[in-house]
Amino acid sequence: MGEERKTLIQAGELAALLESNPDTVLLDVRWALGDAHGRDHYEAGHVPGALFVDMETELSATPTPQAGRHPLPEAHDLAATARRWGINGDSTVVLYDGTGGLAAARGWWLLRHAGAADVRVLDGGLQGWKAAGHVLETGTNTVAPGNVRLGWGHMPVIDIDAAAAFPGHGILLDSRAAERYRGEVEPIDPRAGHIPGARNRPTTENLDADGHLLAPELLAAAFAELGVRPGAGAHEVAAYCGSGVTAAHQVLALETIGVHAALYPGSWSQYGSDAARPAATGPTP
């Protein structure tokens, strides 16, 4: 399990890395559902050297009911964006946010999907950096373009039909808050409920009170209760959420315990927009 934790980096490790490795690219993904002021938050205080990353324009394509609220960007668009961020072929890329990695994991997943070699999420995010006694800077940063050449398809993905069928042979995890899973509230998507057969594991439950990812043994025990076996692969476990953002954090959490899950990028925002698709409500799959 320790090897899998290379998906994460601790604040002290990041501080040392920034001192020792000039080819470290630091990306601030300050985004949360219902908060459109990520850039303002970044400019008010960020880890020194970090660049702001825009969830809506850099980590997503244009939303449509057919594709969902945060469709994956085109491969060539992400590759151009990565070079604009200053990423080179041998760069270490570290992403963070202000919500325990729930947004940063989207960038981690996309860069891994595109084949970037060394991509990590700062465990504990901005709060963890500050709690460790490290300073922030204000304003903005610019960097020289990088030369990374990226591909696509390095992380497992399922589409809407595969997601609908997935509970018939594997564990489909709904990563949203329990009340949204149960269909009691739906603040943003066209209808409430969940994909029939999906099991609920809110991504917030993967974090401790300080926004750090739970220890591997705790995560493994929690996922085992949902039927996820150690070492399971993408044909056995998949995750979705509202629009494919926080489900990437579910995939990251599973990676730290050696489970390689597939992502359903369209998630409920795509599935729920198709009135012909059945929806389930209540606390059970």
Side-chain angles (χ1 to χ4, degrees), residues 108-141:
W108 166 84
W109 187 93
L110 277 170
L111 288 169
R112 285 278 304 273
H113 190 55
D118 187 4
V119 189
R120 313 187 194 183
V121 170
L122 175 59
D123 193 25
L126 189 69
Q127 292 87 340
W129 177 261
K130 292 190 292 185
H134 301 296
V135 300
L136 302 183
E137 69 175 6
T138 59
T140 62
N141 289 306

Side-chain angles (χ1 to χ4, degrees), residues 20-34:
S20 65
N21 182 5
D23 197 7
T24 300
V25 177
L26 192 54
L27 302 177
D28 183 311
V29 193
R30 213 81 64 84
W31 176 91
L33 188 64

Side-chain angles (χ1 to χ4, degrees), residues 59-61 63-73 106 109-110 113 152 155-163 172-173 189 195 238-248 251 261-271:
L59 300 183
S60 308
T64 68
Q66 294 73 32
R69 285 187 281 109
H70 291 107
L72 299 185
R106 166 73 169 215
W109 187 93
L110 277 170
H113 190 55
W152 205 243
M155 296 288 275
V157 175
I158 59 172
D159 63 13
I160 189 170
D161 292 326
L172 180 63
L173 297 171
D189 290 318
I195 297 175
Y240 76 94
C241 57
S243 65
V245 173
T246 57
V251 173
L263 178 73
Y264 169 32
S267 286
W268 185 252
S269 62
Q270 180 188 49
Y271 186 97

Side-chain angles (χ1 to χ4, degrees), residues 40-262:
D40 295 335
H41 301 321
Y42 161 81
E43 292 182 1
H46 53 262
V47 178
L51 302 177
F52 176 72
V53 173
D54 191 300
M55 177 70 71
E56 309 295 339
T57 63
E58 295 180 303
L59 300 183
S60 308
T62 303
T64 68
Q66 294 73 32
R69 285 187 281 109
H70 291 107
L72 299 185
E74 296 292 334
H76 61 86
D77 289 334
L78 182 68
T81 299
R83 289 190 289 272
R84 191 172 67 250
W85 289 333
I87 299 177
N88 298 307
D90 294 327
S91 294
T92 295
V93 184
V94 178
L95 303 99
Y96 72 90
D97 56 32
T99 53
L102 295 178
R106 166 73 169 215
W108 166 84
W109 187 93
L110 277 170
L111 288 169
R112 285 278 304 273
H113 190 55
D118 187 4
V119 189
R120 313 187 194 183
V121 170
L122 175 59
D123 193 25
L126 189 69
Q127 292 87 340
W129 177 261
K130 292 190 292 185
H134 301 296
V135 300
L136 302 183
E137 69 175 6
T138 59
T140 62
N141 289 306
T142 58
V143 296
N147 60 20
V148 69
R149 299 181 66 85
L150 296 177
W152 205 243
H154 294 270
M155 296 288 275
V157 175
I158 59 172
D159 63 13
I160 189 170
D161 292 326
F166 208 90
H169 63 83
I171 306 296
L172 180 63
L173 297 171
D174 184 312
S175 309
R176 299 172 299 162
E179 61 270 20
R180 288 183 73 190
Y181 170 83
R182 295 191 298 264
E184 296 167 0
V185 298
E186 182 44 64
I188 193 165
D189 290 318
R191 57 177 170 150
H194 60 265
I195 297 175
R199 307 180 189 194
N200 189 213
R201 174 65 182 177
T203 47
T204 52
E205 293 185 3
N206 296 333
L207 300 171
D208 67 16
D210 295 323
H212 292 267
L213 201 67
L214 294 178
E217 58 271 20
L218 296 177
L219 286 172
F223 283 114
E225 291 182 4
L226 295 168
V228 177
R229 67 170 189 81
H235 62 291
E236 297 168 280
V237 184
Y240 76 94
C241 57
S243 65
V245 173
T246 57
H249 190 269
Q250 194 87 277
V251 173
L252 181 148
L254 288 161
E255 284 278 324
T256 69
I257 61 170
V259 174
H260 305 293

